[in-house]
Amino acid sequence: MKHILESSQNNSFIDINSYPDWLKELWEWADRNNIPDYQYVESGWRKGWIGLPRDKETLFSITELHLYNSQLVDLPESIGILGHLTMLNLSFNQLSNLPDSIGNLTKLTRLDLNLNDLTSLPESIGNLTQLTVLALKANALSTLPKSIGRLSQLTKLNLGFNRGLELPKSICNLNQLKELNLDGNRYTELPEFLFGLTQLVELDLSSNRFSKLPEVIGNLKNLTRLNLSGNRLLSELPKSISNLTQLTELNLDDNHFIKLPESIGNLTQLTKLDLQYNKLSELPVSISNLNQLAELNLGDNQLTALPESIGNLTQLTKLDLQYNKLTSFCSYKKYKSCISEQDISHILIQDEPEFSILKVFLILCNK
């Protein structure tokens, strides 16, 4: 097997007729796991080619192998001979480990291992230097090998819902990384070196246990999307948040914010701001600076009034104010011309009998 793997890794000619034992092992494994022969399916959410080819020519001609949702509990070492693969989908299985030979699939650009039972990764994963996407969401990983830092072409890394996952410092070497998902890992804090990934454009830190964020988050000046929802102890933003001037989407849903800093008005590229399920009793006047804002979700807070300046948000198309304590809606009559009657049919404001405490989703259509 070692000779075979080396041949595959060095891209030299492989005489597949010379390896009947390997083919027998691979196909017996497939039969044992009820993996069908290579076939095209189009049923429900499944659409595309699935299964493992049972003929040599097809086996060595395909570049994508989809074995998702196959109830796999193991992979054979012989999987490593398929060095021509560029995409391998093993998601929705029950794999607890990977063979070392996975590192011989050096042409892989995408490896999907979401929703398995992986507790560790082999060091050989670092050999997959052509990977651009590595998906490891919802496993049982506690650590990552240092060799992960050798994945120099990686642009997307999903590590969500690996509770207690410790991040190696070598992750800072991923200088092409654009999207990083760390949601659902029960983090209370993150290592400072993580914020050296200054090329990130999307960062998901939702559903953790942060009570505060470090000032160094302001180093991520290329971020366009930041998700901090579901950190229920998070009650304030660091001053450096004002450095994230490229943000277009900021999700602060389901936290414990009582107020927002005036510096949030520096985020003038925001088009979507979600503040639902917090404890906000007022909004900063600087919110009027967010003149690109199209969606603003303020539902389920403790707002009693909105600043007059909110009327300056001329790009706003969706505003959710349900389940607050509003006793007035700015100068309602001032904006009446841009609100359709059906949009306000369920809004009630205490000082006007037909408009009392907000109950439903309100959409403002600025024309």
Side-chain angles (χ1 to χ4, degrees):
M1 176 60 66
K2 181 179 178 181
H3 171 67
I4 304 172
L5 297 178
E6 288 177 347
S7 298
S8 175
Q9 192 169 356
N10 294 330
N11 299 317
S12 59
F13 176 74
I14 299 174
D15 180 4
I16 57 179
N17 294 306
S18 302
Y19 306 109
D21 291 342
W22 167 78
L23 289 172
K24 181 180 178 181
E25 177 193 63
L26 188 62
W27 286 335
E28 284 182 351
W29 168 81
D31 291 340
R32 188 169 63 251
N33 286 280
N34 299 312
I35 297 173
D37 198 352
Y38 201 53
Q39 58 185 286
Y40 187 84
V41 297
E42 189 170 352
S43 175
W45 60 275
R46 281 195 172 199
K47 184 177 181 181
W49 291 93
I50 65 169
L52 184 76
R54 296 302 201 275
D55 69 276
K56 301 172 185 177
E57 289 74 19
T58 305
L59 184 62
F60 280 89
S61 66
I62 61 172
T63 57
E64 297 187 4
L65 186 58
H66 297 270
L67 299 175
Y68 55 87
N69 197 25
S70 299
Q71 299 183 347
L72 300 177
V73 296
D74 68 337
L75 287 179
E77 283 286 343
S78 51
I79 198 77
I81 194 62
L82 303 179
H84 54 290
L85 291 178
T86 60
M87 195 280 188
L88 178 58
N89 187 345
L90 293 165
S91 61
F92 289 91
N93 282 293
Q94 300 165 33
L95 300 172
S96 59
N97 57 68
L98 299 175
D100 287 337
S101 62
I102 199 79
N104 290 283
L105 307 183
T106 54
K107 291 186 178 180
L108 282 182
T109 60
R110 184 183 181 99
L111 178 57
D112 191 340
L113 293 161
N114 285 340
L115 291 148
N116 277 281
D117 298 319
L118 294 171
T119 57
S120 64
L121 298 176
E123 282 288 339
S124 63
I125 201 85
N127 295 341
L128 308 183
T129 55
Q130 298 303 308
L131 271 186
T132 59
V133 178
L134 178 57
L136 290 161
K137 189 168 188 171
N139 279 279
L141 295 169
S142 58
T143 60
L144 294 174
K146 292 181 180 179
S147 63
I148 198 100
R150 299 208 304 267
L151 306 182
S152 58
Q153 301 302 309
L154 207 61
T155 59
K156 297 181 182 181
L157 177 59
N158 193 334
L159 297 171
F161 289 90
N162 285 276
R163 296 175 177 176
L165 174 63
E166 183 177 348
L167 300 172
K169 193 171 184 179
S170 62
I171 203 171
C172 291
N173 296 331
L174 306 179
N175 54 21
Q176 298 297 316
L177 198 63
K178 303 297 183 183
E179 299 179 24
L180 177 60
N181 288 67
L182 295 171
D183 53 315
N185 284 336
R186 297 184 178 179
Y187 291 134
T188 57
E189 60 181 2
L190 290 171
E192 188 167 320
F193 62 72
L194 189 69
F195 299 96
L197 294 170
T198 55
Q199 71 286 350
L200 284 177
V201 295
E202 296 187 19
L203 178 60
D204 190 343
L205 298 175
S206 62
S207 301
N208 280 288
R209 297 180 177 180
F210 300 117
S211 58
K212 62 179 181 179
L213 297 172
E215 288 291 338
V216 286
I217 197 172
N219 294 344
L220 306 181
K221 296 180 180 180
N222 288 309
L223 280 184
T224 61
R225 298 178 65 183
L226 176 59
N227 190 347
L228 293 166
S229 64
N231 287 280
R232 298 183 177 180
L233 300 177
L234 190 60
S235 59
E236 62 180 345
L237 294 173
K239 293 179 180 179
S240 63
I241 199 75
S242 62
N243 295 342
L244 308 183
T245 55
Q246 299 304 307
L247 278 182
T248 59
E249 296 186 19
L250 177 58
N251 192 340
L252 300 173
D253 176 26
D254 196 15
N255 282 294
H256 201 75
F257 289 103
I258 297 173
K259 64 178 181 178
L260 297 175
E262 287 289 340
S263 59
I264 201 166
N266 292 350
L267 309 182
T268 56
Q269 298 303 307
L270 278 182
T271 60
K272 185 175 182 179
L273 177 58
D274 194 337
L275 291 161
Q276 190 175 25
Y277 296 113
N278 278 283
K279 306 292 183 182
L280 296 172
S281 58
E282 61 180 359
L283 296 177
V285 175
S286 65
I287 201 166
S288 63
N289 296 342
L290 308 182
N291 53 22
Q292 300 300 312
L293 206 59
E295 297 184 27
L296 177 57
N297 190 341
L298 295 166
D300 292 273
N301 276 281
Q302 298 176 10
L303 297 170
T304 57
L306 298 177
E308 290 285 339
S309 60
I310 202 169
N312 297 331
L313 304 180
T314 57
Q315 301 301 311
L316 202 64
T317 59
K318 293 185 179 180
L319 175 61
D320 188 340
L321 294 167
Q322 61 182 324
Y323 302 111
N324 275 280
K325 300 179 179 180
L326 292 170
T327 56
S328 64
F329 180 51
C330 310
S331 297
Y332 162 71
K333 294 181 177 62
K334 177 180 178 181
Y335 307 111
K336 187 173 182 178
S337 62
C338 68
I339 307 173
S340 65
E341 290 301 322
Q342 61 266 33
D343 291 334
I344 61 172
S345 61
H346 296 285
I347 299 172
L348 301 172
I349 297 181
Q350 289 176 352
D351 58 358
E352 297 183 41
E354 68 271 37
F355 307 114
S356 172
I357 300 175
L358 245 83
K359 297 292 186 183
V360 296
F361 191 76
L362 167 65
I363 300 177
L364 297 183
C365 300
N366 290 272
K367 299 178 182 178

